[in-house]
Amino acid sequence: MLAQNVYRVYGFILWHHSKGNECLQHKSEVCSGIMGLLKVSVIFLLSLITMTLAEPPGCKIRITDRGLEMLKAETKRFVEGELSNITMPEMRGKEGRFQYTIKDVKITELNLTSDLRFQPDVGLLFEVQNSSITLNFQRRILYWLFYDEGAINASAEGVNIFTVLHLIKDQDGRLKISNITCNAFITKMRARFSGTLGRVYDFIGTLLTTGMRFVLNKQICPALNHAALVLVNQLLETVPVRTEVNSYVGIDYSLLNDPVVTETSLDMDFRGMFYDLKNENDTLVNNAVNPVLREYDRMVYLALSEYFFDSGLYSYFKGGLFQTQIANERMPKDLEMLLRTTYLGKIMMLDPAFMEHPLSLELEVTSPPRSTIKTSGAMVAVNCNVKVLVLPPGKPAVQLSSLTMEGNFNAEVSMKGKRLTIHLELKKFKIFSSESAFESFALIPLQGPLKTMLQISAVPLINNYIKRGVQIPLPDGMDFIEEVVEYHNGYIIVGANLHFRTGLREIIERKLSGETDNSV
């Protein structure tokens, strides 16, 4: 498909060049119009080929406005925690006969009416409207010969905060807040005095609250800047980008481009590619279908193409995982008896003494398995070489036959928390000899016992390697719940709701202390 598009564009450019030369010779108005049309067409086709060259994602995630609704309460608690930690400097001043000092300013209560929503083409918008903040601070006032000190309770009313978080893909392929646009203003502030001269000082309340309102205004946006650019970005760093899955393979979840933000969703395209830890550059080319997300009913959607699974199968194959030996206590007695009967003539021709020695089967996958995803489910096709061997004690194994096995496995995909797991079950099985039709005919009685043996011995071994699954790109403390898996032609979609196991602040504090998410 890519080569075809390249040749089409190249051919069209050559045609455009020839037509342009003809028009230059005639210099007519019609030719001028044709030249303009051709230029537009070439630009369109070049943009098309650029889109074709773009790497398709193996994994997509969509967070809908329903998911953002769940994040609102958690975001509000996080912002309240950050604003509660605002520190304000000691204030000193003089007005006529009055000298005052204000210190130990503490925010004691926040009553925020907030909203969190998508900002198209940018990121997220967090807005606080018509809210209030209650403060407490200590005063010291000298008026003529009178000295007084005491507490002041003040309230900032009409608090409005408008914050936009700009989301991008950073150089490592990680989702990041690149910038924050913040505007904050307080409509008014009132102070209530206590102490012996409390009523006398009411008339200077305007002086004090004006200064306090100015200082508080200046503290809100820096606090939110630090919360977003430092703390929330540290939370996003817990999302795996390029990480080990087990001792054989790793996975690359780097973003392919900046997230796409609309009024109703945030869509992210990830590479979604496994790789062999021993040779990280030997990876599979992505020629799979690009998953299409059309749903918005659940909080979050995860789409995985056939490439996601094929790259994993390819990496395990390159890592040498798909080979095993069935011998001794792992060899079922009835199967060994059938093998001995099938190859009786061959054994007697080699050495009659071999009849007393154990037999074994060596299974080795000969090419990377491939997955097929349809609306009816997912399947994995495997081609395998099977060697039938005699094991004389203290001597090298003697090969009796080399067979070809073709198997189809049903693959059941499931989600738990933030881990994607696959369970394989052998569905179709065929074993034959590529060298002898007579031997293939003789193997017919072995089909059933061999399939049972694989289901009992080989398949559980593979499922044991992959049972832990792989983490999907979600931050620590956040899990999928109420998952539903849907199969489409070329990809699967997992629709789910989101659940916070702990608050944002606790997750960030754990990250700062070096603790890991034990649930992963």
Side-chain angles (χ1 to χ4, degrees):
M1 183 68 180
L2 176 58
Q4 290 176 354
N5 284 336
V6 171
Y7 289 136
R8 285 171 184 168
V9 171
Y10 181 66
F12 191 84
I13 290 174
L14 290 178
W15 180 78
H16 170 272
H17 180 70
S18 65
K19 291 297 181 183
N21 288 336
E22 293 178 9
C23 281
L24 287 175
Q25 294 174 3
H26 294 86
K27 296 183 180 179
S28 66
E29 293 184 2
V30 174
C31 279
S32 299
I34 292 175
M35 288 291 290
L37 179 61
L38 291 177
K39 288 179 181 178
V40 172
S41 300
V42 169
I43 292 172
F44 171 76
L45 285 175
L46 288 174
S47 64
L48 178 63
I49 196 68
T50 301
M51 293 173 61
T52 306
L53 288 169
E55 179 182 356
C59 170
K60 286 186 174 184
I61 288 184
R62 164 174 289 172
I63 299 176
T64 67
D65 48 5
R66 283 198 60 201
L68 203 62
E69 189 72 29
M70 189 277 294
L71 293 172
K72 284 182 182 179
E74 192 58 45
T75 304
K76 177 183 175 183
R77 283 194 292 270
F78 177 69
V79 170
E80 287 176 342
E82 289 303 301
L83 295 181
S84 296
N85 292 329
I86 286 178
T87 58
M88 300 178 66
E90 184 177 290
M91 297 172 55
R92 296 175 180 269
K94 184 177 181 181
E95 182 70 19
R97 302 283 186 178
F98 283 93
Q99 299 180 37
Y100 61 88
T101 300
I102 294 174
K103 63 178 184 178
D104 298 335
V105 180
K106 296 179 181 179
I107 294 178
T108 58
E109 184 181 355
L110 294 105
N111 184 16
L112 303 184
T113 302
S114 62
D115 188 25
L116 180 67
R117 59 183 183 270
F118 294 116
Q119 184 76 0
D121 302 323
V122 178
L124 298 175
L125 167 64
F126 180 76
E127 189 174 16
V128 174
Q129 291 186 337
N130 198 27
S131 301
S132 63
I133 301 175
T134 302
L135 306 94
N136 178 272
F137 48 91
Q138 297 294 317
R139 73 168 189 272
R140 279 195 299 219
I141 297 179
L142 179 64
Y143 177 65
W144 289 89
L145 299 178
F146 295 98
Y147 172 81
D148 187 48
E149 63 181 8
I152 300 178
N153 293 316
S155 62
E157 300 174 0
V159 178
N160 295 275
I161 306 171
F162 184 87
T163 306
V164 177
L165 307 179
H166 300 252
L167 299 177
I168 64 163
K169 171 186 80 76
D170 71 6
Q171 59 184 6
D172 296 323
R174 190 186 303 276
L175 181 65
K176 182 180 180 180
I177 300 173
S178 64
N179 189 26
I180 177 172
T181 304
C182 179
N183 291 302
F185 62 91
I186 300 171
T187 305
K188 58 183 177 181
M189 179 173 277
R190 297 178 179 178
R192 295 179 296 278
F193 292 83
S194 63
T196 56
L197 300 178
R199 294 175 63 85
V200 177
Y201 298 144
D202 281 341
F203 76 95
I204 65 166
T206 302
L207 172 66
L208 298 180
T209 55
T210 299
M212 288 295 299
R213 181 163 62 92
F214 176 79
V215 174
L216 185 58
N217 258 331
K218 293 296 184 181
Q219 294 290 332
I220 290 175
C221 281
L224 295 182
N225 283 344
H226 177 265
L229 298 177
V230 178
L231 300 182
V232 176
N233 275 337
Q234 287 177 337
L235 173 67
L236 295 176
E237 287 178 2
T238 66
V239 177
V241 172
R242 193 172 176 91
T243 184
E244 292 185 6
V245 176
N246 49 38
S247 58
Y248 294 94
V249 302
I251 190 165
D252 186 339
Y253 276 131
S254 54
L255 281 169
L256 298 178
N257 40 55
D258 290 339
V260 177
V261 187
T262 67
E263 291 184 354
T264 55
S265 67
L266 183 148
D267 289 356
M268 294 171 285
D269 289 353
F270 298 91
R271 180 164 285 116
M273 177 194 72
F274 289 85
Y275 55 89
D276 178 12
L277 291 177
K278 296 178 181 178
N279 189 359
E280 297 187 10
N281 294 322
D282 184 7
T283 57
L284 192 67
V285 177
N286 188 353
N287 295 316
V289 173
N290 192 343
V292 179
L293 288 171
R294 295 187 176 92
E295 296 84 357
Y296 294 88
D297 295 334
R298 310 299 288 272
M299 293 183 181
V300 62
Y301 289 93
L302 169 72
L304 302 169
S305 74
E306 288 177 346
Y307 175 75
F308 178 87
F309 301 99
D310 286 345
S311 68
L313 294 167
Y314 179 86
S315 301
Y316 277 117
F317 172 77
K318 290 295 183 177
L321 180 64
F322 295 141
Q323 51 187 333
T324 186
Q325 184 179 35
I326 309 298
N328 301 319
E329 65 276 358
R330 294 183 60 196
M331 173 71 75
K333 296 301 180 183
D334 54 350
L335 176 61
E336 186 174 20
M337 181 63 69
L338 277 172
L339 288 171
R340 203 177 297 277
T341 302
T342 303
Y343 292 99
L344 176 62
K346 187 73 172 287
I347 293 174
M348 295 302 292
M349 288 177 61
L350 291 172
D351 188 343
F354 286 172
M355 288 297 295
E356 304 299 325
H357 302 324
L359 302 182
S360 78
L361 293 174
E362 284 189 0
L363 288 79
E364 182 177 6
V365 175
T366 55
S367 61
R370 299 304 294 259
S371 66
T372 302
I373 303 175
K374 297 182 178 180
T375 54
S376 56
M379 184 175 293
V380 176
V382 179
N383 291 324
C384 185
N385 178 257
V386 181
K387 292 180 181 179
V388 184
L389 304 169
V390 179
L391 304 177
K395 296 181 180 180
V398 178
Q399 179 173 313
L400 298 178
S401 181
S402 179
L403 308 172
T404 299
M405 186 191 79
E406 296 177 353
N408 286 334
F409 294 81
N410 282 339
E412 182 183 356
V413 180
S414 60
M415 283 285 305
K416 184 177 181 181
K418 59 162 64 80
R419 300 203 74 86
L420 181 84
T421 60
I422 302 172
H423 182 80
L424 298 177
E425 183 178 344
L426 184 60
K427 182 181 180 182
K428 293 182 179 180
F429 171 83
K430 180 181 179 182
I431 190 167
F432 57 92
S433 172
S434 58
E435 299 176 356
S436 169
F438 177 77
E439 185 178 6
S440 296
F441 180 76
L443 289 171
I444 292 176
L446 286 173
Q447 302 283 338
L450 277 173
K451 182 177 181 181
T452 302
M453 180 273 299
L454 289 173
Q455 289 174 326
I456 295 174
S457 301
V459 177
L461 187 66
I462 297 173
N463 283 329
N464 185 59
Y465 279 123
I466 61 177
K467 68 180 181 180
R468 189 169 182 266
V470 59
Q471 181 182 348
I472 60 173
L474 278 183
D476 284 352
M478 187 181 294
D479 290 332
F480 276 24
I481 59 172
E482 301 169 355
E483 310 91 347
V484 175
V485 179
E486 295 180 355
Y487 294 86
H488 299 259
N489 290 326
Y491 57 93
I492 69 167
I493 294 178
V494 182
N497 291 324
L498 292 171
H499 169 68
F500 271 105
R501 281 182 283 105
T502 184
L504 286 175
R505 177 165 295 280
E506 289 77 8
I507 298 171
I508 293 170
E509 289 175 351
R510 190 165 58 230
K511 163 72 175 173
L512 293 174
S513 65
E515 295 181 30
T516 57
D517 190 348
N518 295 326
S519 67
V520 177

